[in-house]
Amino acid sequence: NAGVTQTPKFQVLKTGQSMTLQCAQDMNHEYMSWYRQDPGMGLRLIHYSVGAGITDQGEVPNGYNVSRSTTEDFPLRLLSAAPSQTSVYFCASSPTGGHSLLHFGNGTRLTVT
Amino acid sequence: DAKTTQPTSMDCAEGRAANLPCNHSTISGNEYVYWYRQIHSQGPQYIIHGLKNNETNEMASLIITEDRKSSTLILPHATLRDTAVYYCIVRSRSNDYKLSFGAGTTVTVRA
């Protein structure tokens, strides 16, 4: 059972480039979310989804797009990367919105130069 | 949602109990207390949660005061592998989609 899988593990981008961070889960979870973690800031919610076709904004959504075409996948898109988006990104899922069962991936470390 | 206050850091001796405090003085009646931890470079891991009663599982115990304004996570016999950042979160089960984590408590277990 793979759980929550994030790819890539590391990425370096130049300012203005675009990319997609991938997140996949094999637990048939309805709820998925993306977080960013900056030093001393804890984890801040970017976007979340409560099911296929449904997404909503979290605490820090600007500069990021998401879509949820399948239950398994929840990609995070950076359309025009900025140095302020240098961070570690975590994807999480749970069976419902009940976050006592949040399962996290191991993160993607993104550097924007 | 109620805010939480945790100490920035604490040390604990290996084999001893680690008691991690959390203040949530503005907690409302339908809000639960959750604890997660994050070991270096990994995603956070759920530990335990509770509403009013004390809870225990294989990882830890959660003690919630009678007025629910504070709680303590207890790691009964801390090991070096318990070194991590511990997050205390207060959320309503009916509105728990927008879950964010504060800075937490950095716990260092020393041999």
Side-chain angles (χ1 to χ4, degrees):
Chain A
N1 191 342
V4 179
T5 302
Q6 291 184 236
T7 56
K9 291 188 183 337
F10 302 93
Q11 183 70 49
V12 179
L13 291 177
K14 294 187 187 299
T15 297
Q17 286 185 316
S18 63
M19 81 158 295
T20 299
L21 280 63
Q22 301 292 344
C23 176
Q25 52 90 10
D26 60 0
M27 298 172 283
N28 201 32
H29 287 172
E30 291 295 321
Y31 177 83
M32 296 185 74
S33 54
W34 275 102
Y35 293 84
R36 61 176 290 172
Q37 184 171 35
D38 304 302
M41 297 288 290
L43 284 87
R44 292 182 292 171
L45 182 66
I46 305 171
H47 285 285
Y48 67 94
S49 169
V50 299
I54 305 170
T55 63
D56 204 348
Q57 296 180 350
E59 182 183 355
V60 288
N62 293 338
Y64 307 95
N65 285 344
V66 292
S67 61
R68 184 94 180 271
S69 57
T70 67
T71 299
E72 294 77 19
D73 300 299
F74 190 44
L76 179 72
R77 282 183 286 276
L78 285 71
L79 297 180
S80 179
S84 61
Q85 293 178 305
T86 293
S87 189
V88 181
Y89 291 84
F90 288 98
C91 178
S93 73
S94 74
T96 64
H99 60 82
S100 59
L101 297 176
L102 266 180
H103 298 255
F104 282 83
N106 281 327
T108 294
R109 185 174 295 275
L110 176 67
T111 302
V112 183
T113 62
Chain B
D1 296 309
K3 289 186 176 179
T4 61
T5 304
Q6 298 178 252
T8 302
S9 64
M10 62 183 295
D11 286 359
C12 176
E14 188 179 22
R16 304 294 294 271
N19 297 307
L20 284 63
C22 180
N23 287 324
H24 31 80
S25 58
T26 60
I27 193 170
S28 61
N30 65 343
E31 289 182 318
Y32 286 68
V33 180
Y34 289 80
W35 284 84
Y36 282 78
R37 75 177 183 184
Q38 185 177 24
I39 296 171
H40 182 62
S41 298
Q42 297 180 18
Q45 173 191 25
Y46 164 78
I47 302 174
I48 198 167
H49 75 285
L51 180 63
K52 295 180 183 178
N53 300 322
N54 298 337
E55 302 288 344
T56 296
N57 62 21
E58 66 277 5
M59 291 181 66
S61 295
L62 174 60
I63 309 298
I64 303 173
T65 58
E66 190 169 346
D67 63 7
R68 302 208 324 121
K69 293 185 177 182
S70 66
S71 60
T72 301
L73 179 75
I74 301 173
L75 307 177
H77 304 286
T79 71
L80 298 179
R81 288 176 293 181
D82 291 321
T83 292
V85 178
Y86 288 78
Y87 300 99
C88 171
I89 303 151
V90 173
R91 298 293 302 198
S92 164
R93 288 292 287 256
S94 65
N95 182 28
D96 54 17
Y97 298 123
K98 292 190 174 183
L99 174 62
S100 290
F101 295 66
T105 298
T106 299
V107 174
T108 303
V109 180
R110 303 192 185 278

